[in-house]
Every structure is written in C-alpha cells, then in structure tokens.
C-alpha cells in the first residue's frame, strides 16, 4: 500500500487540503498520514474542527510574533524526524506558505517526491505577495506532480519549462469546500445586525501590508462608513497581533463597524454569500467570491489570480487609502458598475478538484 503524507499549517491550507484528505482517505489503496506544522494555532483548529479531521502529527511550532526565519527553522528541525519515521511515497503540500516551502524542502532533502496542490500561481514579483511568491516558485522547482488549479497556472508552469506530463489541471479544492458550506437558512447574530444595510465584509493580513499600508486601508473603509449611512462593515480580524493593533487603533468606537474574532469557514462562507461587497488582501477569498457572485475589491498591487479579474468579479485597487476609498465609493454609488461586477463565474473549479488530484496520485503510483 502506498503512503501519502499531507503537510500543512495555516488556515487557508487547511481549508483547501481537508476536502482532499477526505477524498484520499476514501481510497483503500492509500495510507494517508496527516501532519500539521501548527504554523497557525486557533485559526487552524477552527478548520480542523469544522471538517472533523484527525491529525497524526502536530508540530505545534507557532510562537507569538514569529519571524519567517523562526517558522522555517522550527519546521525544518521538527519535520525531518516525522518524515523519516513514516517514509511516505509522496508528500503533498499546498500553495505558498512557509509551511509549504519548508515541507517541500524537507521532502526534497530526504529524496521523497513532492506533489504541489495549487501549483503554478504567479505574480513574478517576489515582493508581492511576500514571501509567498518566492515560496511557490521554490516549491515548483522541486515538485514531481503539479496540481494546477487553472489553465493559466498550467501555462505558467509550461513557460518555465516544467514537463507537461507532470502537470494536471484539477480546479481549486477551495471550491470543493465551498460546495459544502453555504446554507440557504443560515442565521447568525452579526448577519441579523447587518440586515437592511449594505454589508461590506473586510479581511486583511498580508505581511507586506502590515503597518502604514494597512492603516491606510482601514482609514479608507472608515471614510466609506462615515459617508454612506446604509453601509455596515463586519471585519473578522486575523489573529496576528500586528493586524489587531492597527485595526483597534483605527476602528474602535466607529459606529457600524464590527470587529469580530476570525470566523470558522462555514460562518465565513455564509457571511460572504450575504455580503454586498468584499474588501480583502486575501488569496483564497479571491477564488471563492466569483463562485458566489460577490464583487471583490482586492487591496493589493498585483494578483496571482487573474482569472477572477478577467471574469469581472475582482478589481485590483492597490493599497493606497485614496484609491481604495474612491473605488469603493464608485461601486456603492454606481449601480451599473456594481451590477457589472456582481456576476457568477467559476474560473477556479467545479467542486471536483480533490477527486482529480486523488486520481492523478493513483495514476502516478501505478506508473512508478
Ligand atoms: C500566513 C502565510 C500566508 C497566508 C496566511 C493565512 C506565510 C509566510 N504566510 O501568514 O501566506 O496568507 O498565513 O492567514 O506562511 N497567529 C495567532 N494564532 C493563529 C494564527 C496566527 O496568534 O491561529 C499569530 C501568530 O502570533 C503569528 C502571526 O499571527 O506570529 C502571523 O502568523 P504567520 O503564520 O506568521 O503569518 P500570517 O500573516 O498568518
Ligand atoms: N476565512 C475564514 N474565516 C475568516 C476569514 C477567512 O474561514 O474569518 C477563510 C476564507 O473563506 C478563505 C481562507 O480563510 O477560504 C482565506 O484565508 P486567509 O485570507 O487567511 O489566507 P490567504 O488565502 O490569503 O492565504
């Protein structure tokens, strides 16, 4: 029996790997071992609880105010022993986090093939998103099986000289997750509070935006709320203390802005589906919103997810206060603009990505 080790450590990786683990575990020919690094703590536990998944190993590496080097060193130091003990036939990593990069590196050092879920996303700017663009390119240098979510991602890989026979276009597993979470009869006290208003859902956490850029984003949102009496904002604040500090400084005491704890993924998807507009610097949210037909103003200078921009649902508005404010105001005032963005599209998948990845893994094992 072949053994697959799945390694992840942050909220978005967990949301995107859990549907795949469930699919892998259905298969009697595979022994699936789950190892979390614990790069995130509470935000990871939330996801594991929702999907009711057990972990075989938790490296518990999270420390307050962890630096990139500290994360890398801790995982490198802890993961090797686990991998040596299990000696899997394949290690699956996801996306572009420090966990993904170091887990892939560990596998590479031990001569174990790597499967990269969500391979091929690119901005080709290592400063944006930082350090994720480096991480994902580095992982793809040592990947044996590329699971590209879209044709665009596949073409990036081909342009870089990766072999076509190693690339599988699968869709993004986040859409698999999304299919199970949104409920028509969902109720929640915060959604109740926002009823009758236009709900802006806000998230922000990118490392390159911490500090003044993030303060500018929040000030833009505050100006919008002061100007539009029918707008309410719900902001599930990331656990990063640097984010929390700026959020509290700018928003505390502002009427019609609610800062709440991170939501579990079922709540968050349902909040998305009931929002009027989403403002975010998140990656995953850019993939989910088109499937829900929700316009997103992306508070970044570039995106590795151009499919949603082409579909018309995402608009890149940069990180400068004035532009975020102006673009948001335009959408709130101009119904034609808003309706043009409010369209349903599924550029990131059909909900069967996990099945395709599992089939590709089985096919790979039947050939080696
Ligand atoms: C990480 C990923 C980023 C991803 C994001 C998802 C890297 C380099 N970055 O960024 O790609 O978009 O996760 O959210 O891998 N913290 C807690 N509890 C938690 C989670 C975080 O207290 O459950 C705090 C920790 O003190 C930590 C800080 O938040 O120091 C930042 O977490 P970290 O994983 O270092 O970076 P993120 O910004 O979350
Ligand atoms: N999300 C969540 N609760 C929240 C905010 C976001 O479950 O309070 C989900 C969201 O639906 C998406 C993922 O977390 O699937 C995105 O994670 P994040 O923005 O932290 O990371 P990124 O996608 O930018 O790497």
């Amino acid at each position: 029996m072949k053994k697959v080790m799945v390694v992840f450590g942050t909220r978005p990786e967990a949301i995107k790997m859990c549907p795949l683990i469930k699919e892998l575990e259905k298969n009697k020919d595979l022994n699936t071992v789950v190892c979390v690094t614990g790069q995130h703590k509470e935000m990871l536990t939330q996801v594991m609880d929702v999907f009711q998944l057990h972990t075989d190993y938790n490296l518990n590496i999270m420390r307050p105010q962890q630096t990139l080097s500290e994360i890398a060193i801790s995982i490198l130091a802890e993961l090797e022993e686990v991998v040596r003990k299990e000696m899997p036939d394949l290690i699956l990593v996801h996306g572009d986090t420090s966990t993904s990069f170091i887990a892939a590196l560990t596998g590479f050092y031990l001569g174990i093939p790597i499967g990269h879920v969500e391979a091929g996303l690119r901005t080709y700017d290592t400063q944006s998103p930082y350090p994720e663009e480096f991480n994902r390119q580095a992982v793809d240098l040592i990947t044996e099986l590329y699971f590209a979510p879209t044709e665009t991602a596949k073409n990036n890989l081909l342009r870089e000289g990766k072999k076509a026979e190693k690339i599988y276009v699968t869709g993004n597993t986040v859409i698999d997750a999304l299919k199970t979470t949104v409920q028509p009869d969902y109720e929640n006290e915060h959604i109740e509070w926002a009823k009758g208003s236009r709900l802006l859902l806000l998230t922000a956490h990118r490392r390159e935006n911490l500090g003044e850029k993030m303060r500018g984003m929040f000030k833009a949102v505050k100006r919008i709320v002061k100007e539009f009496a029918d707008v309410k904002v719900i902001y599930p604040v990331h656990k990063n203390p640097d984010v929390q500090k700026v959020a509290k400084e700018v928003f505390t005491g502002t009427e019609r802005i609610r800062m709440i704890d991170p939501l579990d993924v079922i709540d968050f998807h349902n909040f998305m589906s009931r929002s009027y507009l989403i403002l975010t610097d998140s990656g995953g949210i850019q993939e989910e919103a088109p499937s829900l037909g929700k316009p997103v103003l992306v508070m970044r200078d570039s995106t590795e997810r151009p499919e949603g921009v082409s579909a018309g649902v995402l608009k890149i508005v940069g990180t400068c206060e004035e532009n975020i404010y102006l673009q948001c105001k335009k959408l709130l005032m101009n119904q034609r603009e808003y309706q043009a963005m409010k369209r349903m599209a599924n550029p990131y998948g059909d909900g069967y990505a996990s099945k395709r990845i599992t089939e590709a893994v089985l096919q790979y094992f039947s050939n080696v």
Side-chain angles (χ1 to χ4, degrees), residues 10-13 15-16 40 43 46-47 96-97 132 174 178 202-206 235-238 260-269 272 280-288 300 305:
T10 66
R11 168 173 69 189
E13 294 166 85
I15 292 170
K16 291 165 165 182
H40 282 178
M43 287 164 55
Q46 267 185 327
V47 185
D96 53 22
T97 66
E132 289 81 3
V174 80
L178 194 62
L202 171 67
T203 83
H205 74 276
R206 301 236 77 81
Y235 175 20
V237 187
H238 194 283
I260 59 174
D261 282 338
L263 291 163
D264 78 38
V265 64
I266 294 182
D267 286 322
F268 192 76
H269 285 171
M272 284 180 81
T280 190
D281 64 3
S282 159
I285 293 171
Q286 294 179 55
E287 294 156 342
E288 295 161 342
R300 290 194 191 185
R305 291 160 168 103

Side-chain angles (χ1 to χ4, degrees), residues 161-210:
K162 272 76 179 183
K163 293 199 174 78
E165 61 271 23
K166 293 185 172 186
I167 308 172
Y168 299 82
V169 178
T170 59
N172 196 309
T173 54
V174 80
I175 308 300
D176 304 12
L178 194 62
K179 286 211 155 175
T180 65
T181 49
V182 179
Q183 303 148 1
D185 54 353
Y186 175 82
E187 284 179 16
N188 179 286
E189 53 152 319
H190 300 298
I191 293 295
E192 200 54 42
W193 167 76
K195 267 200 182 128
S197 300
R198 289 191 283 182
L199 172 61
L200 262 61
L201 189 59
L202 171 67
T203 83
H205 74 276
R206 301 236 77 81
R207 259 174 204 268
E208 69 271 22
N209 294 340
L210 294 174

Side-chain angles (χ1 to χ4, degrees), residues 96 121-123 129 136 286 300 302-307:
D96 53 22
L121 275 63
R122 298 288 185 267
T123 62
R136 59 169 83 111
Q286 294 179 55
R300 290 194 191 185
S302 57
T303 184
E304 61 288 82
R305 291 160 168 103
E307 300 87 348

Side-chain angles (χ1 to χ4, degrees), residues 116 118-120 146-151 153-154 157 167-172:
H116 189 193
E118 204 179 272
Y146 299 93
F147 302 112
T150 65
E151 288 292 333
K154 175 182 177 178
L157 293 165
I167 308 172
Y168 299 82
V169 178
T170 59
N172 196 309

